[in-house]
Amino acid sequence: MKSLFSILLFLSISIIGFSQSYWQQEAHYQMDINFDSDNHCFDGEQELTFINHSPDTLNKVFYHLYFNAFQPGSMMDIRSLTILDPDKRVGDRISKLKDNEIGIQQIISLKHNEVALKFVHDRTILEVFLKNKILPGDTAIFSMKFKTQVPIQIRRSGRMNKEGIDYSMSQWYPKMCEYDKDGWHTNPYVGREFYGIWGSFEVNINMDARYTIAATGILQNAEEIGHGYSNTAVDTNVKRLTWKFKADKVHDFVWAADPEYTHDIVINDNGPDFHLFYLKGEKTKEWENLGPYMIKTFAYADKNFGKYPYPHYSIIQGGDGGMEYPMATLITGNRKLKSLVGVCVHEAMHSWYQGMLATNESLFSWMDEGFTSYASNMIEQQLFPEDWADAHASSYNSYKRIANSNYEEPLCTHADHFNTNWAYGTASYSKGVVILDQLSHIVGQEVVDRSLLRYFKEWSFKHPTASNFKRIVEKESGIELDWYFDYFVNTTKTIDYGISEFYNTKNGCIILLNKGEIPMPIEVEVVLNNGGYLNYYIPTVLMRGEKEIEATTKLLEDWAWTSPTYSIFLKHKASDIFSVKLHPNSSIADVEPLNDNLVIPTKWNWDKYDLKITLVKKRKKGKVQKLMRIKK
């Protein structure tokens, strides 16, 4: 009995442990900000309630101090000065900042449960030494006082952007670093991605009354503030106002302020409403036409990617291009209509891929930017079909360009550590799209669509990884995908399938060649001269299954990845055939498409001779050409 009891106890503990294997930290911020717009600085008080849901005991905590990156000699400055292709928005601008133009975030005092703590400013990271450890399950309250100088707007955040917005306030507060199953993530800020703890924000901003403020969250005192938030006008005798914002189930908080903001509200009967903040004028006249496009965007996204849960979404003129935050985006706003819609659609889709499906962007930037680009491509194809015949063509072309160069780096590279901005951008945006779209070639589009909805249902308001998404697609498809994600995430190997030879014998034979390093399922289309078609599907052995195919398509034997060639035997000679084409109906990132299509020449007497057609490539004047050789 004792032995049986021990076994049952072990099993129960194992089951409980398995069910609780996923955990995430929790952080609730309450901040009071006293802003001095004359000197571009503010005093802040922050009370952070931190709940340690991890199984680990913490004897330190860390905070991000992002504004300290905007100082001459900072890591961001040096990186921009030394990287091969610096971001033009940054260039050497940080190195030239004067003392009254730099960013400064200085912690004055910090207490843990009323106990004063020792801490060290280390560039853009604050290292905090705890006197009393935080045990698993503990709730810790950190009380902080800090001073901040807002830098000249250079990258994302700062004052006086190029379109004249006074304050674009992103990455503006001391933000606790994320601690997950891999430990602390205390990466210094050098300009790329972010990772934050799920929780809530209560932010009170006291500022000159002439300013209109746009922010993450819901304004709690609209009647008091006015400024377009209510029918109440601002009392001109009031010199300062306190704006009170609250946001739940978010992992970051952004705000912006300008005295000339126009605040338009677009009512959306199916939710959310859209709040538009911009400088009204000739250059921003298209903002008045933006509402219907955003309503269509969110309707499409709700149906295909998961329901947006917040009551409104703010589009705020500011920043240096387009940058996403919970419930809001900062965008430059002097744009023509399609450019304005395009940037808004992309940043809005970040509300799904990062806003609600909060991957660690630094490690999985392709799941953030790539999935967002995939979704925004699909939506823009619906909004502007005349411009988007092939939704993802530009992403494939961009990826192929770098794959055929010497500059590509694996997707598993930490976002900050790519050697070039080209490699980072192409990997995160273009190759991220390719990974997701190419799945439709492997498992089918319907499976991809179902997987995206299931991914949202199971992992929204969490921190999913590539493995979590992969498992969902595997469960929906019944196909193994380890090989696919391993090749595309962890290597720079490429796909290069082609038609090698056609033997014009009694029963014609097509010889396919795999010159690449990534195995893929292959589709082959044979067009007959009588107008008929022969379609073949060849799975790769690594899949252990295949996608659902048309009844008119013949399923052939698996192609083992160790075999460089594959033969398809036909009951037709060359005289019966017009052309042979690989992957005709689905996207595949074949880096050399020249040998994917064979058109049978009509000048030969194919019935008289047994001939062999061989496709070869020749480089001439720096360009690769396709040649055909025909031999008896």
Side-chain angles (χ1 to χ4, degrees), residues 28-67:
H28 301 279
Y29 293 86
Q30 198 285 320
M31 289 187 279
D32 294 299
I33 305 302
N34 188 25
F35 203 96
D36 178 0
S37 57
D38 291 332
N39 295 298
H40 311 297
C41 61
F42 61 89
D43 294 326
E45 294 188 9
Q46 179 189 100
E47 182 174 281
L48 171 61
T49 302
F50 173 77
I51 304 173
N52 181 19
H53 291 298
S54 83
D56 305 325
T57 297
L58 307 179
N59 54 20
K60 285 184 181 180
V61 296
F62 299 85
Y63 287 78
H64 293 285
L65 306 176
Y66 293 112
F67 272 6

Side-chain angles (χ1 to χ4, degrees), residues 439-445 447 450 473-474 476-481 483 520-523 536-550 553-559:
L439 272 175
S440 65
H441 173 79
I442 300 170
V443 303
Q445 187 61 52
V447 172
R450 293 199 311 266
V473 185
E474 286 181 329
E476 287 292 326
S477 67
I479 293 173
E480 288 190 25
L481 294 168
W483 59 277
M520 289 290 288
I522 297 299
E523 296 174 1
Y536 301 93
Y537 180 72
I538 310 167
T540 175
V541 68
L542 297 171
M543 295 164 63
R544 299 300 171 192
E546 61 278 334
K547 70 176 180 180
E548 185 176 335
I549 57 176
E550 298 288 338
T553 299
K554 185 175 181 179
L555 177 64
L556 299 181
E557 183 182 355
D558 292 350
W559 188 341

Side-chain angles (χ1 to χ4, degrees), residues 90-261:
V90 181
D92 63 353
R93 292 176 63 202
I94 297 177
S95 67
K96 297 178 179 179
L97 291 176
K98 300 174 183 177
D99 287 347
N100 64 345
E101 298 174 331
I102 65 174
I104 302 174
Q105 203 142 61
Q106 183 179 9
I107 309 306
I108 305 303
S109 65
L110 179 59
K111 295 179 180 180
H112 168 214
N113 295 345
E114 299 301 324
V115 177
L117 298 176
K118 178 183 176 183
F119 51 85
V120 175
H121 292 81
D122 183 10
R123 303 176 179 89
T124 59
I125 296 295
L126 185 77
E127 183 176 4
V128 182
F129 304 91
L130 301 178
K131 292 183 178 179
N132 299 306
K133 298 178 181 180
I134 305 175
L135 301 177
D138 275 2
T139 296
I141 297 177
F142 292 94
S143 302
M144 174 189 291
K145 293 184 178 181
F146 60 99
K147 288 183 175 292
T148 299
Q149 178 172 288
V150 181
I152 294 289
Q153 196 280 320
I154 291 179
R155 187 68 182 101
R156 298 190 176 103
S157 193
R159 69 185 195 250
M160 291 305 298
N161 84 335
K162 66 180 182 180
E163 295 180 346
I165 303 300
D166 278 17
Y167 296 105
S168 303
M169 300 297 289
S170 57
Q171 291 83 52
W172 60 276
Y173 61 95
K175 179 180 180 181
M176 183 167 282
C177 299
E178 180 66 274
Y179 182 91
D180 62 17
K181 63 182 179 61
D182 296 318
W184 285 106
H185 296 271
T186 61
N187 307 102
Y189 183 39
V190 297
R192 290 212 171 116
E193 306 294 355
F194 307 98
Y195 188 31
I197 303 173
W198 281 104
S200 65
F201 289 81
E202 292 186 35
V203 181
N204 303 321
I205 304 168
N206 181 269
M207 197 171 188
D208 189 322
R210 64 194 177 93
Y211 279 93
T212 293
I213 297 180
T216 291
I218 309 298
L219 182 65
Q220 302 297 296
N221 57 338
E223 293 301 322
E224 176 185 348
I225 296 302
H227 280 290
Y229 283 91
S230 72
N231 294 322
T232 304
V234 178
D235 186 344
T236 55
N237 294 318
V238 175
K239 300 302 182 184
R240 297 182 67 84
L241 290 171
T242 299
W243 300 66
K244 299 179 180 180
F245 293 94
K246 185 175 182 180
D248 293 319
K249 296 182 75 174
V250 295
H251 52 71
D252 204 353
F253 187 98
V254 66
W255 62 283
D258 194 274
E260 304 299 326
Y261 266 149

Side-chain angles (χ1 to χ4, degrees), residues 6 65-66 72 108 154 163 192 196 213 330 338 344 392 404 412 417 460-461 486 512 575 599 619:
S6 299
L65 306 176
Y66 293 112
I108 305 303
I154 291 179
E163 295 180 346
R192 290 212 171 116
I213 297 180
L330 289 175
K338 289 184 179 180
C344 288
H392 307 302
N404 285 315
C412 59
H417 294 271
S460 55
F461 304 107
D486 182 46
L512 304 181
S575 57
V599 178
R619 186 172 293 275

